[in-house]
Each structure stands twice: as structure tokens, then as C-alpha cells.
């Protein structure tokens, strides 16, 4: 895409591969892994991320929407694609036509699949163990077992559940432990069918990595060879602050360049609502990125960006297309023209390799890293660094 505004998200393919290798190292051999590339690969660009992972050995990819899966198929992805959201009859036909694998949560979905399938269909069966979002109730397990034993068309390949609080999976008495304990009878039930059981999201995977380096036997995490469904970890962030066994590197850098620099007098205000008033004569850098690009307005007057390897505070309200930084202490009495087009990093790495983490930015925006990454707007082009020509 032609770029007239130099605001973009740089995607480090090298870091993505390094994170994927860390996850695979934690998985060891013979473990089911479904990297989650839903929501445009957490904002990173699903086609390129999926192509990279497939090239690096992934054989399954996780999406939420049928539409996301169709896009991957149209881009030539050959991996198994798990569709997590569910489907109606029309959706089921699309899933089958494009050889995707449905994650099923209701009897109605099973009936729909039976009615539209001509050939045998692989199915992953989801159970609710406490998230209370999607999935069969646990007491349906026996009936479902009988159903799959008798079904000519539907072939059960996996049972799964989703952790509501994966960051506590390291504890043997936390909510995750309770969920896993509740899921164990289901796993036992379907053992004779030789299916995978997948549970662990980034929090669960990181917990397994932590107990493994401490050589501890965990009552629940080591109980089965639980399959992995990594999302956030793949994109370089820890699901909880106290995890460190896996070395993860942020994949996305959100950056722009200075549009212009204004000199303002003490007492003058900046931006809508006049919420920031200069206490001294100040130099204000105007940068062409705003809340329409996914840089949350809640960060107004709180956040800071990396500018000339220093933290420059965001001053005044973040606008739809612009924000302003106080760079007085950084540029001093320099000719402002010298600083036009200077790089500004909102999260990720600057040219010197120093990191401003999306986690820090998320705290200021009163949100989580998952939201900060997936919020980066459609009009921000993704630049892939180190993308292999496949
Ligand atoms: C069903 C399911 N599995 C796995 C994940 C990945 O979670 P995380 O990004 O915490 O690794 C998600 C994300 O929301 C999910 O919905």
C-alpha cells in the first residue's frame, strides 16, 4: 500500500518465530498445538502470521469466525483450521466446503453437521468447566460419547475446554485447577476414542513452563499431555507479570514520525477540552496517530511515547488522527525543523532496540494487552520485517 502518512505497525517475523519456538520447546513432542490467529492474528496480520507459522511447522490454526477461516483458505493456507465461534446451517456448509474443522458446543450444531455432511467430518467438542460462555455442560459427556460411537458421519478428534483465569494455572488450588479437575472425567470418558484434549491458553502454557523449569510435578498441568492454544504468548507478551520461564519477544511495534513541532507559551493549552496547560514555554510534537488508529483516548495526559530514546509525555486529549507530545526537555533550543520526521514509538522497540511494552500502555488505558494489540486500526498498515517469500 502507498503510504502518505508514516504511521504503521511493524511486525517482526523473527520475533514471531522465536516465540513460536519457545512455545514448541515448552510443548515437547507429541502435543497438539493450535496457534490462535483469530482477530487478524491479534492485530498482527492473519495471512502473513498464518503463512509464517505454517512454514515453521504448525499444522493447525485457530480462528473465531468462519470468515477468518475463509480468508486463510483463499490465501492458500493448507493447515487444519479450527473454527471456534460456532455456526448455523449455512455456516456449517461453508466450514465443510472449505475443509475447516468445527468446534462444536451444542446438540443443535451436531444435528446440523449430520444433516449437511456428505463425507466424514472431524469434530472438536467443547465443554464448559466454568467460563460459562460456550461448550456443553459436563453432564452431557456420556450422551455425547454414545452419540459419537454411533455416528457414521462425525468423527471425534478432540475434547476441549477454556480456562477463565489461565494466569492462575500454576496454582493447584486456583480456578484453573478447579476447571481442569472438573474436565478430567470427560477426558477419561473419551479416552477409548483416542482423542486429543486441549486446554492451555498462554497463561496455562506459561504456568506449565514455570513448573517445568522448577522440576515440579504439578497435579493438574502434568496430569495429561494437554494441548496448547497459544494466543498472546505467540505475539510476545506474558499472560501474567510473574511469568518468566519462556523468553517472549513483542512482535508488533506501533510507530509514527513527527508531523510538526509547535512552540507554545506558558499558560497556553493543548488539544480538545484544553485539559493540558503548559506550565512553562514548551515544545510540542504533533504526531499523526489517534484513537481512530487504536491508540486509546484514555491515555490522554497519562501515557508517554519513545522519542529520541526518551519518554515524551502525551499532553492534552488524544484526537481522532493526532496526538501531542511534550518534547521540551528532549529537543531544548534545537531548531524544531531538525526534529520533523523523527521516529516516535507508541509500543514495541525503537531503533536502538529499547522496548516500550504494550503491557505498560494497556495499564494506562485501563485495559489488557490483548485489547491494545487487537485495537490497532485497519488504516494502520502492517509492515512485515523478515517475511519469507513462500
Ligand atoms: C478458545 C480460546 N482458546 C485460546 C485462546 C488464546 O488465549 P491467550 O491469548 O490468552 O493465549 C483464546 C483467546 O481468547 C480462546 O478464546
Amino acid at each position: 500500500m502507498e503510504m502518505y502518512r508514516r504511521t504503521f505497525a511493524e511486525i517482526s517475523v523473527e520475533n514471531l518465530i522465536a516465540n513460536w519456538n519457545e512455545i514448541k520447546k515448552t510443548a515437547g513432542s507429541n502435543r497438539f498445538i493450535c496457534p490462535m490467529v483469530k482477530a487478524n492474528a491479534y492485530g498482527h496480520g492473519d495471512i502473513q502470521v498464518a503463512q509464517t507459522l505454517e512454514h515453521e511447522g504448525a499444522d493447525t490454526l485457530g480462528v473465531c469466525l468462519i470468515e477468518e477461516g475463509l480468508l486463510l483458505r483463499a490465501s492458500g493456507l493448507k493447515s487444519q483450521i479450527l473454527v471456534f465461534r460456532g455456526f448455523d446451517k449455512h455456516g456449517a456448509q461453508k466450514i465443510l466446503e472449505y475443509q475447516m474443522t468445527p468446534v462444536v458446543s451444542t446438540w443443535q450444531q451436531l444435528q446440523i453437521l449430520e444433516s449437511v455432511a456428505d463425507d466424514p467430518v472431524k469434530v472438536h467438542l467443547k465443554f464448559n468447566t466454568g467460563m460459562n460462555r460456550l461448550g456443553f455442560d459436563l453432564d452431557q459427556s456420556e450422551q455425547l460419547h454414545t452419540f459419537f460411537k454411533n455416528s457414521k458421519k462425525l468423527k471425534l478428534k478432540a475434547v476441549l475446554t477454556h480456562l477463565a483465569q489461565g494466569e492462575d494455572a500454576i496454582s493447584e488450588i486456583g480456578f484453573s485447577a478447579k476447571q481442569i479437575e472438573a474436565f478430567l472425567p470427560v477426558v477419561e470418558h473419551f479416552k477409548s476414542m483416542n482423542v486429543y484434549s486441549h486446554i492451555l491458553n498462554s497463561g496455562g502454557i506459561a504456568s506449565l513452563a514455570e513448573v517445568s523449569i522448577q522440576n515440579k510435578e504439578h497435579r493438574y498441568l502434568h496430569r495429561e499431555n494437554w494441548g496448547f492454544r497459544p494466543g498472546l504468548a505467540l505475539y510476545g507478551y506474558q499472560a501474567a507479570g510473574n511469568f518468566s520461564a519462556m523468553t517472549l519477544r513483542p512482535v508488533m511495534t506501533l510507530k509514527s514520525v513527527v508531523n510538526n513541532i509547535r512552540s507554545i507559551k506558558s499558560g497556553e493549552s493543548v488539544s480538545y477540552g484544553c485539559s493540558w496547560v503548559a506550565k512553562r514555554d514548551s515544545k510540542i510534537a504533533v504526531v499523526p496517530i489517534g484513537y481512530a488508529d487504536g491508540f486509546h483516548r484514555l491515555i490522554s495526559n497519562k501515557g508517554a511515547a519513545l522519542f529520541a530514546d526518551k519518554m515524551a509525555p502525551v499532553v492534552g486529549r488524544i484526537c481522532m488522527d493526532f496526538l501531542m507530545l511534550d518534547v521540551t526537555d528532549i529537543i531544548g533550543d534545537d531548531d524544531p525543523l531538525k526534529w520533523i520526521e523523527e521516529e516516535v514509538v507508541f509500543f514495541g522497540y525503537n531503533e536502538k532496540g529499547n522496548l516500550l511494552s504494550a503491557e505498560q500502555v494497556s495499564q494506562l488505558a485501563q485495559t489488557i494487552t490483548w485489547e491494545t494489540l487487537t485495537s490497532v486500526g485497519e488504516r494502520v498498515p502492517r509492515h512485515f520485517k523478515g517475511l519469507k517469500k513462500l
Side-chain angles (χ1 to χ4, degrees):
M1 191 215 272
E2 191 86 52
M3 276 176 57
Y4 303 102
R5 175 183 78 149
R6 285 170 52 201
T7 296
F8 56 92
E10 188 172 276
I11 307 300
S12 165
V13 174
E14 192 187 324
N15 287 0
L16 174 69
I17 294 173
N19 298 335
W20 170 238
N21 286 335
E22 278 293 285
I23 292 165
K24 282 200 295 185
K25 197 169 84 188
T26 304
S29 52
N30 295 327
R31 196 187 288 268
F32 172 85
I33 315 181
C34 171
M36 301 302 279
V37 297
K38 61 178 180 162
N40 195 24
Y42 286 40
H44 293 67
D46 49 6
I47 296 169
Q48 294 84 349
V49 166
Q51 284 171 340
T52 301
L53 294 172
E54 198 174 84
H55 185 256
E56 296 299 318
D59 57 8
T60 300
L61 301 164
V63 297
C64 179
L65 310 183
I66 296 169
E67 295 85 324
E68 293 171 336
L70 292 177
L71 181 67
L72 296 184
R73 280 285 181 261
S75 312
L77 274 300
K78 301 274 179 280
S79 299
Q80 162 166 251
I81 296 176
L82 286 190
V83 180
F84 282 82
R85 192 194 69 88
F87 49 86
D88 57 12
K89 188 166 181 182
H90 181 55
Q93 283 161 337
K94 279 286 164 211
I95 288 177
L96 301 189
E97 185 183 341
Y98 287 88
Q99 280 109 45
M100 297 189 269
T101 305
V103 174
V104 173
S105 289
T106 66
W107 283 103
Q108 194 196 13
Q109 288 168 358
L110 286 175
Q111 282 150 11
I112 290 173
L113 284 175
E114 284 269 5
S115 72
V116 300
D118 295 323
D119 304 317
V121 178
K122 292 182 195 163
V123 169
H124 286 220
L125 209 51
K126 189 167 191 175
F127 286 87
N128 175 34
T129 53
M131 176 78 181
N132 285 320
R133 186 175 63 176
L134 303 178
F136 284 95
D137 288 341
L138 295 168
D139 63 7
Q140 299 292 293
S141 155
E142 196 168 333
Q143 242 179 298
L144 285 161
H145 185 267
T146 310
F147 173 88
F148 277 99
K149 222 165 67 185
N150 297 326
S151 175
K152 299 266 177 302
K153 286 185 185 168
L154 306 191
K155 304 289 163 214
L156 188 66
K157 291 290 162 188
V159 289
L160 64 135
T161 191
H162 189 46
L163 298 179
Q165 203 164 265
E167 61 275 18
D168 80 358
I170 196 157
S171 153
E172 292 187 340
I173 54 166
F175 196 74
S176 301
K178 286 197 178 69
Q179 284 189 266
I180 297 176
E181 186 155 41
F183 191 53
L184 284 169
V186 175
V187 175
E188 266 327 298
H189 229 131
F190 287 94
K191 246 192 188 140
S192 59
M193 291 190 171
N194 201 18
V195 298
Y196 292 109
S197 312
H198 49 101
I199 297 190
L200 302 181
N201 54 8
S202 296
I205 296 165
S207 300
L208 181 65
E210 298 292 322
V211 289
S212 301
I213 55 161
Q214 293 163 13
N215 272 328
K216 281 192 192 144
E217 188 61 29
H218 192 285
R219 214 166 139 202
Y220 297 107
L221 293 175
H222 287 127
R223 184 67 179 261
E224 301 283 332
N225 200 25
W226 301 121
F228 285 6
R229 296 191 309 267
L232 193 71
L234 201 51
Y235 305 105
Y237 286 96
Q238 302 285 355
N242 50 349
F243 293 137
S244 57
M246 286 195 297
T247 305
L248 301 174
R249 302 191 185 110
V251 174
M252 186 192 294
T253 293
L254 182 63
K255 55 165 123 173
S256 187
V257 293
V258 171
N259 190 74
N260 58 293
I261 293 195
R262 307 201 76 87
S263 299
I264 63 167
K265 294 277 178 227
S266 174
E268 284 190 66
S269 63
V270 168
S271 194
Y272 292 118
C274 310
S275 62
W276 186 83
V277 178
K279 292 197 175 72
R280 57 179 173 165
D281 292 354
S282 303
K283 299 279 170 37
I284 303 297
V286 179
V287 191
I289 184 170
Y291 59 76
D293 301 300
F295 203 69
H296 293 286
R297 191 170 171 275
L298 268 176
I299 299 167
S300 301
N301 289 312
K302 285 195 277 186
L306 269 172
F307 171 91
D309 209 29
K310 299 202 171 64
M311 294 301 280
V314 173
V315 291
R317 299 233 170 104
I318 293 174
C319 311
M320 190 183 289
D321 312 302
F322 292 97
L323 58 74
M324 278 63 91
L325 303 173
D326 180 1
V327 294
T328 315
D329 292 331
I330 303 173
I331 72 170
D333 292 329
D334 285 357
D335 178 357
L337 286 179
K338 205 183 118 192
W339 291 93
I340 305 290
E341 305 246 317
E342 176 72 15
E343 181 188 89
V344 183
V345 168
F346 298 95
F347 58 79
Y349 295 97
N350 69 5
E351 278 167 343
K352 292 213 159 122
N354 291 322
L355 175 70
L356 169 56
S357 140
E359 218 163 41
Q360 284 168 259
V361 174
S362 307
Q363 277 160 12
L364 293 173
Q366 292 167 33
T367 184
I368 50 173
T369 316
W370 291 257
E371 191 185 14
T372 298
L373 296 175
T374 54
S375 295
V376 174
E378 234 178 277
R379 71 178 189 174
V380 177
R382 273 61 172 174
H383 273 194
F384 295 87
K385 225 172 108 188
L387 189 66
K388 294 192 178 97
K389 285 220 170 7
L390 305 173

